[in-house]
Amino acid sequence: MPIRTLIVLPDESSKPFLDAINAAKKSLHVKMFVFSDPNLLNVVVAAHQRGVKVRVMLNAARRDGEDDNEKVRTALEQAGVEVKDSNPGFGMTHEKSMVIDEKTAFVKSLNWVTQNLVETRDYAISTTHPHSVSEVMNCFEADWNRQEFMPGLSAHLIWCPANGRERIARFIDEVKHTLFIQNERFQDTVIIERLVRARERGVKIHLMTRPPHSLKKEKIIEGVGGLRIMDDVGIKIHKLKHLKLHGKMLLADGLRAIVGSINLAPGSFDDRRELAIEVHDDDIVDRLQVVAHHDWENSHALDLTDEGLFLDLEENGSGGSEKLVLRMDDKHGKMQKK
């Protein structure tokens, strides 16, 4: 019987992934945005050495020349593992997935970097449902061979660029009572509009994100603007206290959830290869409820006032407050000049 399971980071660290790779008998397919964790590298190489057919697809060097995967790419090549850069048809491949023996697929929010395994709130779903496994494999083959991947209207998984914005917008539209969201970015106007409308029809929304200073300067206006619009209509917006938030998760009415790599930003929907999965499994949703309530209790509200934004952006060394046309009192005006 097909099953799905939830993996919560950092609670479970890398063990579920190490165990799955160590159990691979025939094949291992990995598609990863950033791969640098030495333990995962070692088990991937060991799988190849014991005869498992291993193929690894890594996000290529970025437009600015930065290459997060250079060392691991070299190590894999030297070990004889088939490794290839991701499809250049996308601005970025942000998908994080793995398929074991073409029978079990993992859909993840986390990169294979040590920080995401031990310091950040992240999630993964493993599934043995044949239709989901086939979709992940079909996309891997298409991207590996630089071919078009068309999941179609009947796709079980959530893909970008394809059905991502539509599926997440519909998920929000169908919420009746409560919606809990964890995501690093809230920049897509369609999704912000759906969240505002959900709040206006009475949905209680608890939103967790990273502070404004974590945004790139060119994204501050849309990122902060989206948060303030939602704050103005009564959506509660918090930041984790003791963990960094990297996971992307939506939980609706305590009945269904979405987990994956998709940030709620135009670039993710339109220009990046992304993957997420919607689940209704009682055990997964129940555990996500527990994690969500725990994280909310261990968080605090973001201060999205002019003064709060100025302090966050300027005191954390990133700057960018001038882009927001903030109104500050004389004290903070003098601070800005200094």
PDB file of all heavy atoms in Angstrom, residues 294-323:
ATOM      1  N   HIS A 294       3.827  24.794  18.053  1.00  0.00           N
ATOM      2  CA  HIS A 294       5.080  24.950  18.796  1.00  0.00           C
ATOM      3  C   HIS A 294       5.858  26.151  18.277  1.00  0.00           C
ATOM      4  O   HIS A 294       6.364  26.979  19.060  1.00  0.00           O
ATOM      5  CB  HIS A 294       5.929  23.682  18.665  1.00  0.00           C
ATOM      6  CG  HIS A 294       7.313  23.827  19.222  1.00  0.00           C
ATOM      7  ND1 HIS A 294       8.369  24.319  18.473  1.00  0.00           N
ATOM      8  CD2 HIS A 294       7.820  23.564  20.459  1.00  0.00           C
ATOM      9  CE1 HIS A 294       9.448  24.355  19.217  1.00  0.00           C
ATOM     10  NE2 HIS A 294       9.160  23.887  20.420  1.00  0.00           N
ATOM     11  N   ASP A 295       5.971  26.257  16.951  1.00  0.00           N
ATOM     12  CA  ASP A 295       6.733  27.358  16.373  1.00  0.00           C
ATOM     13  C   ASP A 295       6.061  28.702  16.659  1.00  0.00           C
ATOM     14  O   ASP A 295       6.750  29.705  16.917  1.00  0.00           O
ATOM     15  CB  ASP A 295       6.897  27.153  14.868  1.00  0.00           C
ATOM     16  CG  ASP A 295       7.915  26.075  14.528  1.00  0.00           C
ATOM     17  OD1 ASP A 295       8.576  25.567  15.460  1.00  0.00           O
ATOM     18  OD2 ASP A 295       8.044  25.730  13.343  1.00  0.00           O
ATOM     19  N   TRP A 296       4.736  28.727  16.620  1.00  0.00           N
ATOM     20  CA  TRP A 296       4.034  29.993  16.885  1.00  0.00           C
ATOM     21  C   TRP A 296       4.255  30.442  18.331  1.00  0.00           C
ATOM     22  O   TRP A 296       4.453  31.630  18.599  1.00  0.00           O
ATOM     23  CB  TRP A 296       2.544  29.850  16.593  1.00  0.00           C
ATOM     24  CG  TRP A 296       1.845  31.172  16.565  1.00  0.00           C
ATOM     25  CD1 TRP A 296       1.051  31.718  17.538  1.00  0.00           C
ATOM     26  CD2 TRP A 296       1.876  32.138  15.503  1.00  0.00           C
ATOM     27  NE1 TRP A 296       0.595  32.955  17.143  1.00  0.00           N
ATOM     28  CE2 TRP A 296       1.080  33.235  15.909  1.00  0.00           C
ATOM     29  CE3 TRP A 296       2.499  32.165  14.251  1.00  0.00           C
ATOM     30  CZ2 TRP A 296       0.907  34.357  15.095  1.00  0.00           C
ATOM     31  CZ3 TRP A 296       2.312  33.288  13.446  1.00  0.00           C
ATOM     32  CH2 TRP A 296       1.529  34.361  13.872  1.00  0.00           C
ATOM     33  N   GLU A 297       4.236  29.486  19.239  1.00  0.00           N
ATOM     34  CA  GLU A 297       4.473  29.806  20.648  1.00  0.00           C
ATOM     35  C   GLU A 297       5.905  30.266  20.896  1.00  0.00           C
ATOM     36  O   GLU A 297       6.184  30.958  21.880  1.00  0.00           O
ATOM     37  CB  GLU A 297       4.158  28.590  21.517  1.00  0.00           C
ATOM     38  CG  GLU A 297       2.670  28.257  21.577  1.00  0.00           C
ATOM     39  CD  GLU A 297       2.392  26.919  22.243  1.00  0.00           C
ATOM     40  OE1 GLU A 297       3.371  26.265  22.677  1.00  0.00           O
ATOM     41  OE2 GLU A 297       1.211  26.535  22.318  1.00  0.00           O
ATOM     42  N   ASN A 298       6.812  29.867  20.018  1.00  0.00           N
ATOM     43  CA  ASN A 298       8.216  30.252  20.137  1.00  0.00           C
ATOM     44  C   ASN A 298       8.590  31.253  19.051  1.00  0.00           C
ATOM     45  O   ASN A 298       9.607  31.120  18.354  1.00  0.00           O
ATOM     46  CB  ASN A 298       9.112  29.014  20.058  1.00  0.00           C
ATOM     47  CG  ASN A 298       8.989  28.131  21.272  1.00  0.00           C
ATOM     48  OD1 ASN A 298       9.616  28.369  22.297  1.00  0.00           O
ATOM     49  ND2 ASN A 298       8.146  27.109  21.189  1.00  0.00           N
ATOM     50  N   SER A 299       7.753  32.260  18.892  1.00  0.00           N
ATOM     51  CA  SER A 299       7.974  33.293  17.893  1.00  0.00           C
ATOM     52  C   SER A 299       7.541  34.634  18.471  1.00  0.00           C
ATOM     53  O   SER A 299       6.979  34.705  19.566  1.00  0.00           O
ATOM     54  CB  SER A 299       7.175  32.986  16.618  1.00  0.00           C
ATOM     55  OG  SER A 299       5.782  33.098  16.865  1.00  0.00           O
ATOM     56  N   HIS A 300       7.804  35.683  17.736  1.00  0.00           N
ATOM     57  CA  HIS A 300       7.311  36.995  18.159  1.00  0.00           C
ATOM     58  C   HIS A 300       6.880  37.779  16.929  1.00  0.00           C
ATOM     59  O   HIS A 300       7.326  37.519  15.801  1.00  0.00           O
ATOM     60  CB  HIS A 300       8.366  37.768  18.952  1.00  0.00           C
ATOM     61  CG  HIS A 300       9.641  38.028  18.197  1.00  0.00           C
ATOM     62  ND1 HIS A 300       9.762  39.011  17.244  1.00  0.00           N
ATOM     63  CD2 HIS A 300      10.856  37.427  18.255  1.00  0.00           C
ATOM     64  CE1 HIS A 300      10.981  39.013  16.752  1.00  0.00           C
ATOM     65  NE2 HIS A 300      11.666  38.055  17.341  1.00  0.00           N
ATOM     66  N   ALA A 301       5.992  38.754  17.155  1.00  0.00           N
ATOM     67  CA  ALA A 301       5.447  39.532  16.049  1.00  0.00           C
ATOM     68  C   ALA A 301       6.528  40.399  15.421  1.00  0.00           C
ATOM     69  O   ALA A 301       7.373  40.969  16.118  1.00  0.00           O
ATOM     70  CB  ALA A 301       4.299  40.398  16.552  1.00  0.00           C
ATOM     71  N   LEU A 302       6.511  40.476  14.100  1.00  0.00           N
ATOM     72  CA  LEU A 302       7.400  41.399  13.401  1.00  0.00           C
ATOM     73  C   LEU A 302       6.881  42.824  13.577  1.00  0.00           C
ATOM     74  O   LEU A 302       5.672  43.076  13.458  1.00  0.00           O
ATOM     75  CB  LEU A 302       7.456  41.070  11.909  1.00  0.00           C
ATOM     76  CG  LEU A 302       8.383  39.942  11.467  1.00  0.00           C
ATOM     77  CD1 LEU A 302       8.275  39.766   9.957  1.00  0.00           C
ATOM     78  CD2 LEU A 302       9.824  40.220  11.857  1.00  0.00           C
ATOM     79  N   ASP A 303       7.764  43.753  13.864  1.00  0.00           N
ATOM     80  CA  ASP A 303       7.408  45.164  13.969  1.00  0.00           C
ATOM     81  C   ASP A 303       7.497  45.782  12.583  1.00  0.00           C
ATOM     82  O   ASP A 303       8.582  46.027  12.057  1.00  0.00           O
ATOM     83  CB  ASP A 303       8.359  45.868  14.934  1.00  0.00           C
ATOM     84  CG  ASP A 303       7.954  47.325  15.179  1.00  0.00           C
ATOM     85  OD1 ASP A 303       7.037  47.821  14.488  1.00  0.00           O
ATOM     86  OD2 ASP A 303       8.573  47.958  16.058  1.00  0.00           O
ATOM     87  N   LEU A 304       6.332  46.005  11.968  1.00  0.00           N
ATOM     88  CA  LEU A 304       6.287  46.509  10.595  1.00  0.00           C
ATOM     89  C   LEU A 304       5.950  47.992  10.531  1.00  0.00           C
ATOM     90  O   LEU A 304       5.611  48.514   9.474  1.00  0.00           O
ATOM     91  CB  LEU A 304       5.276  45.695   9.780  1.00  0.00           C
ATOM     92  CG  LEU A 304       5.669  44.218   9.589  1.00  0.00           C
ATOM     93  CD1 LEU A 304       4.516  43.431   8.976  1.00  0.00           C
ATOM     94  CD2 LEU A 304       6.919  44.082   8.729  1.00  0.00           C
ATOM     95  N   THR A 305       6.064  48.689  11.678  1.00  0.00           N
ATOM     96  CA  THR A 305       5.934  50.135  11.663  1.00  0.00           C
ATOM     97  C   THR A 305       7.146  50.743  10.965  1.00  0.00           C
ATOM     98  O   THR A 305       8.172  50.079  10.759  1.00  0.00           O
ATOM     99  CB  THR A 305       5.845  50.695  13.090  1.00  0.00           C
ATOM    100  OG1 THR A 305       7.092  50.425  13.775  1.00  0.00           O
ATOM    101  CG2 THR A 305       4.695  50.049  13.862  1.00  0.00           C
ATOM    102  N   ASP A 306       7.062  52.039  10.633  1.00  0.00           N
ATOM    103  CA  ASP A 306       8.206  52.708  10.018  1.00  0.00           C
ATOM    104  C   ASP A 306       9.443  52.582  10.906  1.00  0.00           C
ATOM    105  O   ASP A 306      10.541  52.260  10.430  1.00  0.00           O
ATOM    106  CB  ASP A 306       7.889  54.187   9.786  1.00  0.00           C
ATOM    107  CG  ASP A 306       7.029  54.408   8.549  1.00  0.00           C
ATOM    108  OD1 ASP A 306       6.504  53.412   8.010  1.00  0.00           O
ATOM    109  OD2 ASP A 306       6.885  55.565   8.122  1.00  0.00           O
ATOM    110  N   GLU A 307       9.260  52.851  12.196  1.00  0.00           N
ATOM    111  CA  GLU A 307      10.398  52.797  13.112  1.00  0.00           C
ATOM    112  C   GLU A 307      10.951  51.381  13.219  1.00  0.00           C
ATOM    113  O   GLU A 307      12.166  51.164  13.202  1.00  0.00           O
ATOM    114  CB  GLU A 307       9.988  53.306  14.489  1.00  0.00           C
ATOM    115  CG  GLU A 307      11.142  53.345  15.479  1.00  0.00           C
ATOM    116  CD  GLU A 307      10.734  53.969  16.797  1.00  0.00           C
ATOM    117  OE1 GLU A 307       9.783  54.765  16.807  1.00  0.00           O
ATOM    118  OE2 GLU A 307      11.385  53.661  17.823  1.00  0.00           O
ATOM    119  N   GLY A 308      10.039  50.415  13.318  1.00  0.00           N
ATOM    120  CA  GLY A 308      10.473  49.025  13.427  1.00  0.00           C
ATOM    121  C   GLY A 308      11.233  48.562  12.199  1.00  0.00           C
ATOM    122  O   GLY A 308      12.257  47.866  12.311  1.00  0.00           O
ATOM    123  N   LEU A 309      10.761  48.955  11.030  1.00  0.00           N
ATOM    124  CA  LEU A 309      11.437  48.578   9.791  1.00  0.00           C
ATOM    125  C   LEU A 309      12.803  49.235   9.682  1.00  0.00           C
ATOM    126  O   LEU A 309      13.785  48.605   9.270  1.00  0.00           O
ATOM    127  CB  LEU A 309      10.576  48.959   8.580  1.00  0.00           C
ATOM    128  CG  LEU A 309       9.339  48.083   8.348  1.00  0.00           C
ATOM    129  CD1 LEU A 309       8.429  48.730   7.319  1.00  0.00           C
ATOM    130  CD2 LEU A 309       9.746  46.689   7.902  1.00  0.00           C
ATOM    131  N   PHE A 310      12.867  50.514  10.063  1.00  0.00           N
ATOM    132  CA  PHE A 310      14.148  51.207  10.002  1.00  0.00           C
ATOM    133  C   PHE A 310      15.178  50.520  10.894  1.00  0.00           C
ATOM    134  O   PHE A 310      16.313  50.267  10.478  1.00  0.00           O
ATOM    135  CB  PHE A 310      13.984  52.667  10.418  1.00  0.00           C
ATOM    136  CG  PHE A 310      15.294  53.406  10.447  1.00  0.00           C
ATOM    137  CD1 PHE A 310      15.851  53.890   9.279  1.00  0.00           C
ATOM    138  CD2 PHE A 310      15.988  53.585  11.636  1.00  0.00           C
ATOM    139  CE1 PHE A 310      17.074  54.545   9.295  1.00  0.00           C
ATOM    140  CE2 PHE A 310      17.209  54.240  11.666  1.00  0.00           C
ATOM    141  CZ  PHE A 310      17.748  54.725  10.488  1.00  0.00           C
ATOM    142  N   LEU A 311      14.782  50.226  12.113  1.00  0.00           N
ATOM    143  CA  LEU A 311      15.703  49.578  13.041  1.00  0.00           C
ATOM    144  C   LEU A 311      16.146  48.220  12.512  1.00  0.00           C
ATOM    145  O   LEU A 311      17.325  47.854  12.594  1.00  0.00           O
ATOM    146  CB  LEU A 311      15.051  49.428  14.414  1.00  0.00           C
ATOM    147  CG  LEU A 311      14.821  50.726  15.192  1.00  0.00           C
ATOM    148  CD1 LEU A 311      13.993  50.456  16.444  1.00  0.00           C
ATOM    149  CD2 LEU A 311      16.143  51.370  15.560  1.00  0.00           C
ATOM    150  N   ASP A 312      15.221  47.453  11.961  1.00  0.00           N
ATOM    151  CA  ASP A 312      15.560  46.124  11.455  1.00  0.00           C
ATOM    152  C   ASP A 312      16.533  46.211  10.282  1.00  0.00           C
ATOM    153  O   ASP A 312      17.544  45.511  10.240  1.00  0.00           O
ATOM    154  CB  ASP A 312      14.290  45.387  11.023  1.00  0.00           C
ATOM    155  CG  ASP A 312      14.599  44.030  10.417  1.00  0.00           C
ATOM    156  OD1 ASP A 312      14.975  43.114  11.178  1.00  0.00           O
ATOM    157  OD2 ASP A 312      14.493  43.892   9.186  1.00  0.00           O
ATOM    158  N   LEU A 313      16.240  47.097   9.346  1.00  0.00           N
ATOM    159  CA  LEU A 313      17.050  47.176   8.133  1.00  0.00           C
ATOM    160  C   LEU A 313      18.414  47.803   8.383  1.00  0.00           C
ATOM    161  O   LEU A 313      19.424  47.338   7.858  1.00  0.00           O
ATOM    162  CB  LEU A 313      16.306  47.971   7.058  1.00  0.00           C
ATOM    163  CG  LEU A 313      15.051  47.304   6.481  1.00  0.00           C
ATOM    164  CD1 LEU A 313      14.265  48.288   5.637  1.00  0.00           C
ATOM    165  CD2 LEU A 313      15.423  46.078   5.656  1.00  0.00           C
ATOM    166  N   GLU A 314      18.453  48.859   9.184  1.00  0.00           N
ATOM    167  CA  GLU A 314      19.707  49.586   9.363  1.00  0.00           C
ATOM    168  C   GLU A 314      20.576  48.984  10.462  1.00  0.00           C
ATOM    169  O   GLU A 314      21.791  48.911  10.318  1.00  0.00           O
ATOM    170  CB  GLU A 314      19.409  51.059   9.673  1.00  0.00           C
ATOM    171  CG  GLU A 314      18.637  51.770   8.560  1.00  0.00           C
ATOM    172  CD  GLU A 314      19.356  51.721   7.219  1.00  0.00           C
ATOM    173  OE1 GLU A 314      20.598  51.749   7.186  1.00  0.00           O
ATOM    174  OE2 GLU A 314      18.667  51.649   6.182  1.00  0.00           O
ATOM    175  N   GLU A 315      19.968  48.544  11.547  1.00  0.00           N
ATOM    176  CA  GLU A 315      20.786  48.021  12.642  1.00  0.00           C
ATOM    177  C   GLU A 315      21.340  46.630  12.333  1.00  0.00           C
ATOM    178  O   GLU A 315      22.287  46.184  12.976  1.00  0.00           O
ATOM    179  CB  GLU A 315      19.985  47.995  13.941  1.00  0.00           C
ATOM    180  CG  GLU A 315      19.700  49.390  14.484  1.00  0.00           C
ATOM    181  CD  GLU A 315      19.190  49.371  15.911  1.00  0.00           C
ATOM    182  OE1 GLU A 315      18.974  48.268  16.451  1.00  0.00           O
ATOM    183  OE2 GLU A 315      19.030  50.465  16.476  1.00  0.00           O
ATOM    184  N   ASN A 316      20.761  45.947  11.370  1.00  0.00           N
ATOM    185  CA  ASN A 316      21.283  44.641  10.991  1.00  0.00           C
ATOM    186  C   ASN A 316      22.272  44.725   9.836  1.00  0.00           C
ATOM    187  O   ASN A 316      22.684  43.701   9.295  1.00  0.00           O
ATOM    188  CB  ASN A 316      20.129  43.691  10.640  1.00  0.00           C
ATOM    189  CG  ASN A 316      19.391  43.222  11.880  1.00  0.00           C
ATOM    190  OD1 ASN A 316      19.860  42.361  12.607  1.00  0.00           O
ATOM    191  ND2 ASN A 316      18.235  43.824  12.137  1.00  0.00           N
ATOM    192  N   GLY A 317      22.600  45.951   9.435  1.00  0.00           N
ATOM    193  CA  GLY A 317      23.692  46.145   8.504  1.00  0.00           C
ATOM    194  C   GLY A 317      23.358  45.976   7.037  1.00  0.00           C
ATOM    195  O   GLY A 317      24.222  46.108   6.191  1.00  0.00           O
ATOM    196  N   SER A 318      22.092  45.698   6.706  1.00  0.00           N
ATOM    197  CA  SER A 318      21.758  45.467   5.303  1.00  0.00           C
ATOM    198  C   SER A 318      21.339  46.746   4.585  1.00  0.00           C
ATOM    199  O   SER A 318      21.465  46.864   3.372  1.00  0.00           O
ATOM    200  CB  SER A 318      20.635  44.430   5.194  1.00  0.00           C
ATOM    201  OG  SER A 318      19.510  44.857   5.937  1.00  0.00           O
ATOM    202  N   GLY A 319      20.804  47.712   5.329  1.00  0.00           N
ATOM    203  CA  GLY A 319      20.358  48.948   4.715  1.00  0.00           C
ATOM    204  C   GLY A 319      19.121  48.744   3.858  1.00  0.00           C
ATOM    205  O   GLY A 319      18.482  47.698   3.887  1.00  0.00           O
ATOM    206  N   GLY A 320      18.770  49.763   3.092  1.00  0.00           N
ATOM    207  CA  GLY A 320      17.628  49.677   2.197  1.00  0.00           C
ATOM    208  C   GLY A 320      16.404  50.408   2.679  1.00  0.00           C
ATOM    209  O   GLY A 320      15.389  50.475   1.972  1.00  0.00           O
ATOM    210  N   SER A 321      16.456  50.996   3.888  1.00  0.00           N
ATOM    211  CA  SER A 321      15.260  51.662   4.409  1.00  0.00           C
ATOM    212  C   SER A 321      14.868  52.865   3.556  1.00  0.00           C
ATOM    213  O   SER A 321      13.691  53.230   3.498  1.00  0.00           O
ATOM    214  CB  SER A 321      15.497  52.107   5.859  1.00  0.00           C
ATOM    215  OG  SER A 321      16.563  53.027   5.934  1.00  0.00           O
ATOM    216  N   GLU A 322      15.856  53.476   2.872  1.00  0.00           N
ATOM    217  CA  GLU A 322      15.544  54.643   2.047  1.00  0.00           C
ATOM    218  C   GLU A 322      14.594  54.300   0.903  1.00  0.00           C
ATOM    219  O   GLU A 322      13.860  55.163   0.399  1.00  0.00           O
ATOM    220  CB  GLU A 322      16.837  55.253   1.490  1.00  0.00           C
ATOM    221  CG  GLU A 322      17.538  54.452   0.406  1.00  0.00           C
ATOM    222  CD  GLU A 322      18.326  53.256   0.929  1.00  0.00           C
ATOM    223  OE1 GLU A 322      18.441  53.117   2.160  1.00  0.00           O
ATOM    224  OE2 GLU A 322      18.815  52.463   0.097  1.00  0.00           O
ATOM    225  N   LYS A 323      14.566  53.045   0.480  1.00  0.00           N
ATOM    226  CA  LYS A 323      13.679  52.628  -0.607  1.00  0.00           C
ATOM    227  C   LYS A 323      12.213  52.641  -0.189  1.00  0.00           C
ATOM    228  O   LYS A 323      11.317  52.671  -1.029  1.00  0.00           O
ATOM    229  CB  LYS A 323      14.058  51.236  -1.098  1.00  0.00           C
ATOM    230  CG  LYS A 323      15.437  51.124  -1.738  1.00  0.00           C
ATOM    231  CD  LYS A 323      15.731  49.695  -2.152  1.00  0.00           C
ATOM    232  CE  LYS A 323      17.087  49.575  -2.830  1.00  0.00           C
ATOM    233  NZ  LYS A 323      17.077  50.205  -4.169  1.00  0.00           N
TER     234      LYS A 323
END
